[in-house]
């Protein structure tokens, strides 16, 4: 049940949708984290977010921040604290646009 | 609408569409049809499942196996020997086997079972299964063969036969053949179809063909069979043109209806009103309502719901509120749709608290809010920056397991992010994914774009 606006942006744009859900060969750092050689950008985000939740990495004082553990640091540019608002864009860095 | 920024506008229309969908949008044709269905069910005893033990005794399309099974069943003295049982056997076999095997089995049953005296219903069972989806050819020859078979047993087709045949043909997508078939049958056997069949055919054509073709068929049937459209037919036609937003054609049909000596009833008016409602023509809407009451047609709950929805949609909430009072005065108890439409109108005006008060009033009147009500309110509260109230409502929704709609989801995310409550936004995202309110892709795309927007807004100092 996609809303009309999303239909326009995502569904009418197969490239954007593919960009989100196509399996991509991962660089070695990310492979270690997800334990798979291929994953989609959406799947990767879900994996990282559920990792944060299961390991209680959200800062108890400020739920908007994530205190990265070593494993998470390795894939999020080595930052020790990450704003949740930045999470999608940080993950996107691992999924560069394919050259034409 | 003035206050709402452009980026939110599509959200607003979205939630409206959702409310529109939740309305019983096709009141008139469906109620007419339910009547026709009832009549048909009472005529054709096609439901052998009444006899639960024999709901589907035959499981293989193999003819000799079926014959043996029947023989063994019959030799059992406990087996009932009424027509219903025989029909249920026939039904279960014909639903899986090809037609010529069904004929064979039928003849076998007539021969071996002296107590089996097939009546019209037995043949109708054959007829209704004469077209299996497995065969890709036209079902017309099959139907004709069953009719011949019937005639050879001394049962010429009657209106029920025609009805079943037409439904079989339409179901398999051969609606043009159905029209031809009806005309032929009328010429050959002088069976006329009844209005239930006629209206079914018209409705089916409306759904699948162009209006011009529907009009051609109506003219054709007028000439060949001598059937003129009745009030229900006109309702179907008007409903169809209104759904394609052609109100001018609806008005023309309305006047044609008058010329043919029909008096439009509540259903016709409701349908036209729905058309105006879809196009946001609230002036016409009110005019039509007045005309309706002047002519002495008693409005029903759908009329009021359409009226209130239309007025709320176009920002005339005060008037909509007035009709709520009219409604209670005339002993129509407002339902969830009524209240949700009004809430939607209030939220559009930015009066989300008014909408919340209406929720209290609604529950006091014993009317339960549904998912659409909650989503309307959540959207309204988040939009009017009453985020805490909104999150409170979200808590209630979470408890009740109410699904989120994409519009309220997006508004809620945006509201939370604007206030710098990204963590909570992620919770809402989780809830949307968990309850499968939205697809993962939709939920994530909204989250991503909201966060992107947040970055921009922060840069401009618009958000925390």
């Amino acid at each position: 049940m996609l809303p009309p606006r999303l239909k326009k942006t995502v569904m009418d744009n197969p490239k954007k949708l593919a960009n989100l859900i196509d399996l991509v060969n991962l660089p070695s750092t990310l492979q270690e984290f997800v334990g798979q050689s291929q994953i989609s950008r959406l799947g990767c985000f879900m994996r990282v977010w559920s990792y944060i939740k299961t390991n209680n990495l959200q800062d108890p004082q400020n739920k908007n921040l994530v205190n990265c553990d070593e494993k998470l640091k390795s894939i999020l540019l080595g930052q020790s604290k990450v704003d949740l608002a930045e999470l999608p864009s940080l993950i996107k860095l691992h999924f560069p646009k394919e050259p034409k | 609408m003035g206050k709402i920024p452009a980026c939110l506008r599509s959200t607003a229309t979205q939630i409206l569409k959702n409310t529109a969908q939740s309305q019983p949008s096709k009141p008139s044709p469906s109620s007419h049809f339910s009547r026709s269905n009832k009549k048909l069910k009472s005529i054709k005893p096609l439901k052998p499942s009444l006899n639960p033990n024999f709901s589907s005794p035959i499981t293989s399309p193999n003819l000799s196996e079926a014959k043996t099974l029947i023989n063994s069943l019959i030799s059992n003295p406990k087996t009932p020997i009424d027509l219903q049982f025989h029909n249920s056997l026939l039904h279960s076999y014909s639903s899986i086997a090809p037609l010529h095997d069904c004929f064979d089995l039928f003849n076998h049953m007539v021969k071996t079972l002296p107590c089996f005296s097939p009546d019209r219903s037995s043949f109708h069972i054959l007829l209704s299964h004469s077209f299996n989806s497995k065969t890709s050819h036209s079902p017309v020859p099959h139907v004709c063969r069953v009719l011949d078979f019937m005639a050879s047993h001394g049962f010429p087709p009657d209106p029920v036969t025609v009805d079943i045949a037409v439904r079989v043909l339409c179901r398999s997508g051969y609606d043009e053949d159905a029209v031809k078939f009806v005309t032929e049958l009328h010429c050959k056997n002088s069976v006329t179809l009844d209005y239930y069949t006629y209206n079914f055919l018209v409705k089916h054509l409306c759904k699948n063909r162009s209006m011009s073709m529907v009009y051609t068929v109506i003219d054709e049937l007028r000439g060949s069979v001598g059937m003129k459209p009745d009030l229900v037919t006109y309702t179907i036609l008007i409903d169809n043109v209104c759904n394609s937003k052609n109100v001018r054609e609806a008005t023309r049909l309305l006047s044609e209806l008058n010329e043919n000596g029909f008096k439009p009833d509540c259903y016709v008016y409701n349908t036209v009103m729905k058309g105006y409602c879809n196009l946001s023509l609230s002036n016409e809407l009110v005019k039509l309502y007045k005309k309706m009451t002047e002519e002495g047609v008693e409005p029903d709950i759908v009329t009021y719901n359409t009226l209130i929805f239309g007025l709320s949609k176009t920002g005339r909430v005060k008037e909509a509120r007035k009709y709520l009072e009219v409604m209670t005065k005339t002993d129509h108890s407002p339902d969830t749709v009524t209240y949700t439409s009004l809430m939607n109108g209030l939220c559009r005006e930015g009066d989300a608290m008014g909408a919340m008060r209406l929720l209290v009033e609604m529950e006091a009147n014993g009317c339960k809010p549904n998912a659409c009500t909650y989503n309307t309110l959540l959207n309204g509260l988040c939009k009017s920056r009453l985020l805490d109230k909104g999150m409170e409502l979200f808590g209630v929704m979470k408890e009740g397991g109410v699904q989120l709609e994409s519009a309220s989801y997006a508004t809620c995310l945006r509201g939370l992010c604007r206030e710098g409550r990204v963590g909570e936004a992620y919770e809402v995202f989780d809830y949307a994914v968990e309850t499968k309110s939205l697809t993962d892709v939709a939920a994530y795309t909204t989250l991503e774009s909201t966060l992107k927007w947040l970055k921009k807004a922060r840069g401009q100092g618009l958000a925390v």
Side-chain angles (χ1 to χ4, degrees), chain A residues 40-57:
Chain A
S40 67
R41 186 153 65 85
L42 179 62
C44 183
F45 171 81
M46 293 301 221
R47 197 64 74 84
V48 174
W49 172 229
S50 67
Y51 179 83
I52 292 172
K53 277 186 292 181
T54 46
N55 293 304
N56 285 323
L57 294 178

Side-chain angles (χ1 to χ4, degrees), chain B residues 13 19 41 53 90 105 156 161 216 280 308 368-369 434 445:
Chain B
T13 45
T19 0
K41 256 176 210 151
N53 295 335
L90 202 58
L105 189 82
T161 321
T216 326
S280 306
I308 289 175
K368 279 212 174 120
E434 243 171 64
T445 327

Side-chain angles (χ1 to χ4, degrees), chain A residues 2 4-5 41 49 53 64 84, chain B residues 10 14 420 423 426 430 442 448:
Chain A
L2 279 172
R5 199 166 56 129
R41 186 153 65 85
W49 172 229
K53 277 186 292 181
N64 298 348
L84 267 182
Chain B
S10 59
Q14 169 60 19
Y426 270 68
D430 276 343
E448 197 185 26

Side-chain angles (χ1 to χ4, degrees), chain B residues 4 37 103 313 371 380 399 423 441:
Chain B
I4 304 165
N37 283 341
F103 285 155
K313 188 182 172 188
E399 255 170 53
V441 175

Side-chain angles (χ1 to χ4, degrees), chain A residues 10-28:
Chain A
V10 181
M11 290 324 229
D12 279 355
N13 195 338
K15 257 192 196 162
K16 269 197 180 161
L17 183 64
N19 186 287
L20 194 59
I21 59 171
D22 273 2
L23 295 181
V24 172
N25 288 322
L26 296 177
S28 55

Side-chain angles (χ1 to χ4, degrees), chain B residues 148-168:
Chain B
D148 290 344
F149 190 68
M150 265 180 94
S152 68
H153 281 79
F155 289 103
D158 73 347
V160 183
T161 321
V162 181
D163 188 86
I164 296 172
V166 166
R167 276 165 207 264
V168 165

Side-chain angles (χ1 to χ4, degrees), chain B residues 118-400:
Chain B
D119 75 344
R120 211 168 261 286
S121 58
S122 320
F123 290 101
H124 287 167
I125 288 171
L126 283 181
L127 182 59
S128 64
H129 291 291
S130 60
F131 180 72
N132 298 5
S133 50
K134 286 164 213 156
T135 44
S136 55
H137 320 294
S138 159
V140 181
H142 293 266
V143 170
C144 290
R145 271 172 62 198
V146 179
L147 287 187
D148 290 344
F149 190 68
M150 265 180 94
S152 68
H153 281 79
F155 289 103
D158 73 347
V160 183
T161 321
V162 181
D163 188 86
I164 296 172
V166 166
R167 276 165 207 264
V168 165
L169 291 173
C170 284
R171 199 174 53 213
S172 44
Y174 287 84
D175 33 24
E176 279 170 74
D177 290 315
V179 178
K180 259 185 239 155
F181 175 80
V182 164
T183 333
E184 256 177 48
L185 216 59
H186 180 76
C187 297
K188 263 195 247 159
N189 304 51
S190 68
V191 205
T192 20
L193 65 176
D194 62 7
Y195 268 102
Y196 300 104
T197 321
Y198 179 76
N199 286 332
F200 171 83
L201 194 60
V202 171
K203 194 181 181 196
H204 186 88
L205 289 168
C206 275
K207 258 192 212 156
N208 300 298
R209 303 291 164 139
S210 66
M211 271 323 269
S212 58
M213 159 130 185
V214 177
Y215 288 143
T216 326
V217 168
I218 286 180
D219 279 344
E220 239 178 77
L221 286 180
R222 198 197 311 256
S224 58
V225 190
M227 285 192 83
K228 284 180 203 153
D230 70 348
L231 198 56
V232 181
T233 323
Y234 276 115
T235 316
I236 294 167
L237 291 174
I238 290 174
D239 184 57
N240 199 53
V241 293
C242 280
N243 282 343
S244 50
K245 305 202 167 171
N246 191 351
V247 190
R248 191 188 288 176
E249 180 67 12
T251 342
R252 192 192 68 78
L253 280 167
L254 204 59
S255 61
E256 189 183 312
L257 184 156
N258 276 321
E259 277 163 27
N260 286 326
F262 290 108
K263 207 172 163 293
D265 63 356
C266 182
Y267 300 119
V268 176
Y269 278 121
N270 285 351
T271 315
V272 183
M273 279 171 86
K274 185 184 74 179
Y276 285 136
C277 208
N278 283 342
L279 291 172
S280 306
L281 296 169
S282 54
N283 283 336
E284 301 292 322
L285 193 65
V286 177
K287 243 188 250 167
L288 198 64
Y289 170 76
K290 292 211 169 117
K291 191 179 163 205
M292 184 174 171
T293 39
E294 268 165 28
E295 282 180 16
V297 180
E298 186 62 37
D300 66 354
I301 181 140
V302 181
T303 319
Y304 285 115
N305 280 352
T306 316
L307 194 63
I308 289 175
F309 176 75
L311 287 172
S312 300
K313 188 182 172 188
T314 45
R316 296 164 67 173
V317 196
K318 270 197 195 126
E319 281 167 76
R321 201 63 228 218
K322 245 187 354 209
Y323 284 109
L324 184 71
E325 278 154 32
V326 175
M327 230 174 136
T328 34
K329 257 183 219 156
T330 50
D331 284 337
H332 290 283
S333 46
D335 65 357
T336 314
V337 179
T338 325
Y339 283 116
T340 310
S341 307
L342 257 182
M343 285 176 195
N344 189 13
L346 287 168
C347 288
R348 271 170 172 261
E349 282 199 330
D351 185 14
M353 285 322 287
M356 286 303 276
R357 279 196 294 277
L358 200 60
L359 178 69
V360 178
E361 188 186 322
M362 170 182 177
E363 281 176 317
N365 284 343
C367 197
K368 279 212 174 120
N370 61 11
C372 193
T373 319
Y374 282 123
N375 277 294
T376 309
L377 285 172
L378 184 65
N379 197 17
L381 287 171
C382 291
K383 209 174 272 180
S384 4
R385 311 217 169 180
L386 296 163
L387 208 56
D388 290 322
K389 279 269 167 205
M391 288 320 282
E392 210 177 287
L393 187 78
F394 177 67
V396 176
M397 287 171 79
K398 223 171 166 178
E399 255 170 53

